[in-house]
Amino acid sequence: MTRPDLNTMQSKITERLSRLRGRLRSQLVIEGLARLLLLAFALAAVSFLADRKFELGRTTRVVFMLLAFVCVAYVAVRYIVLPAFADWNIFDVAGALDVRGMDSVKNAVSPKVATVFDLHEKSPDYSQSLSAEAARRSFDALERIDFEERLNREHKTRSVAGVLAGVGLPLLALAVIPFALTNVWFSRWFTMSDTPWPRNTTISVVGLDDNHIIVPKGEPRLLEFTITDKRDRDIDRLRIELQLADGKTERLTIVRDAGGRFVHEISGLRRDAQLRLWAGDGKLGPVDIIPIDRPRLIEIRLSHKHPWDESLQIHDFDRGDGSISLLPRTDAELTLKANVPIEKLDCDWSTATPPEIQRIDDVTFSAKWKHDTDLQAKIRLVGKSAGLESQNRSVSIGLKKDRPPSITMRPDGVKRRVTPTAVVPLKMVARDDFGVAYMRLTSKIERVPVVTADTPPPPIIADSSEEVALPDESENAGAQTEEVADPESLPKGEEYDLYGPIQPATERLLDEQYEYSLEPLSLAPGDLIRMMTEAQDDCFVGAQSSESPWVAFDIVKPEELFREILVQQQQLRARLRKATDSATDLRDKLTTSQFPQAGSELSRDNKVLQREVSTIHRGLEDTVREMALNKLGGEEAIDLIQQNVLNKLGNLTSNAMEAQKSELAALSKQDGGGSQDEAIDRQGKIVDEMKRILKNMAQWDSFVDVVNQLDAVIKLQNDLKDDTERIQEKDVEAVFDD
């Protein structure tokens, strides 16, 4: 038998070990694939079960996916890539066989392979023939060894079973688990969506949109939740967790209200928050709660210009300027500005032809019109973000009417009856919305009919039904006011321009005074004079005028009016005499009273006395002024009563009686202030002064009587002279007639 040479032996050994290397490499790859498939299935199962149970958040899922990828990549590289591409030679394979199947040193494969390939170190006495013999013996020994028997067949079986399990278990899971669950798992883990897991209990929030709720910023919001259960269980509790932006977390459990609803009011939020809900086996969240500004008007500005206006006028409703009214024919523009972009502006106008609102930009709107009627508008905004609606805002723009001016006139210092030479002071007050342009005084005269020698004069009686009652004398009223049915039918007296005409009119209030002298009119006793004041404005649609009520004055004889005034003065003197008696009684009480017990009562009596004396003083002043205006008594008589009566009464009330009031108030106090002796002395001086004034008034009456007697004598002489001259003229005319 021919023995193979060394090259042939080496070729056979190399072929056998190379074939074994391929089988070993494939077995390791199958093992790595089994590891990889089983690891992937385990990770998928863990993610499915954990997410199904706890519904993991997106961040947790991302971290888990990263860790799973690292693990899978490691297993793939370590157990598949490296074995598949490892650079193993035949000696590495031989060494692997020795590690796995060597039961003794003589069965070792790697030394024999090394001998065949002559890899041993050569000694100095190396023999070529002996080396060849050793190689043949090692080759024969290797031929007797079955390399494949040394491979672990159970390992191969387990690897194949692992691969089949790694493929079959996912298929089995897909067949057993409902498609809806696997679809949710896939979307949650591979698209990172927040699709909730199907559960028996479903929780929803009214108004939820794309997993967020829009709420008005800073306003409380009532959230309503609905819970449904597939197994018809009665869920009566809902757990809520609200995580605020500042890190605080609010947790609470709510139950159904009386209406069977789950509701919860959250306080006004100004920053984002997250809401989580649990009920039964259901869970919802996190739900983002996003507060946004509710649409509102931050500027409501009315710009207007009337033909009267020199420049454009601005009115801000949002700054508290209040309501406004515009004149007709005013050019107006209303500007509305919101705080956020607006999708739509709704405006309900009170008129059938409302102004058209134009959009300027996302937050600004404008409307222009010519104002000719009242306008009321209810404005509502709809925001672009989440469609939040604003609160209704009302705007009212009234129509201002230029009313006619109002005017009043009253006499001052005289009453209804005046003398032919009197001076009548008049006070006129005119008011207008925008300005009085013109004021005029008009008088109408109704003269007494001429009396002939044969016809007795008819009495002139004023028609009281046409006249307004005058104020009483205590108010120093002037003449009587009456409405005349047809004043133009009366004879014209005089007209006086008191003010204007002025254009443009700017004075809204005119307070004019005018002294009307009757002497130039040559009035006679029995005549009647009426006066009226007219005011006119500068209305742009046409001037408007108003008239005051007519004021009527009866012309009487001077002596007749003088007697009436003297009667009033005598009545006032009687009141002063009675007041003097009261002052005397007060003086006596001061002497016998004990202070401070009687201080309050005496102080009250003194105030009553002082008030009465002041009233008498004012009454006398009015009578003296009426005398002066009617030119009665002369300047000397008026100066006499002014110096001896009026001035003394004025000094008495303002000085002595005022000091006495203070003294009695001090005596009334418990601290014992004031002096009783000084009060008694001062009261005595007051009584003496009042008596002197009474004496002066008596002298005044005597003086007036003398003056009246002299006036009567002079009048009789004048009448006698007039009668004599009239008789002489009549006799002369009779002579020439004959």
Side-chain angles (χ1 to χ4, degrees), residues 113-176:
V113 174
T115 301
V116 173
F117 284 87
D118 195 17
L119 297 179
H120 295 289
E121 295 182 358
K122 297 177 175 61
S123 61
D125 55 353
Y126 172 74
S127 174
Q128 184 70 30
S129 60
L130 291 176
S131 175
E133 184 63 25
R136 281 193 294 271
R137 289 181 180 180
S138 297
F139 175 77
D140 293 340
L142 290 174
E143 286 292 325
R144 291 192 296 270
I145 299 174
D146 188 358
F147 293 160
E148 294 184 1
E149 288 184 355
R150 293 194 177 188
L151 294 178
N152 191 344
R153 297 183 182 277
E154 293 181 0
H155 178 269
K156 181 179 180 180
T157 302
R158 288 196 301 270
S159 298
V160 173
V163 171
L164 294 177
V167 175
L169 287 176
L171 294 177
L172 181 62
L174 291 175
V176 174

Side-chain angles (χ1 to χ4, degrees), residues 392-412:
N392 287 344
R393 180 67 184 270
S394 297
V395 175
S396 178
I397 305 173
L399 182 66
K400 183 184 294 184
K401 296 181 179 179
D402 186 4
R403 296 170 296 182
S406 64
I407 184 167
T408 59
M409 181 184 71
R410 65 180 182 87
D412 181 32

Side-chain angles (χ1 to χ4, degrees), residues 424-435:
V424 180
L426 298 173
K427 290 186 176 181
M428 289 78 68
V429 178
R431 293 179 174 87
D432 188 70
D433 298 334
F434 298 95

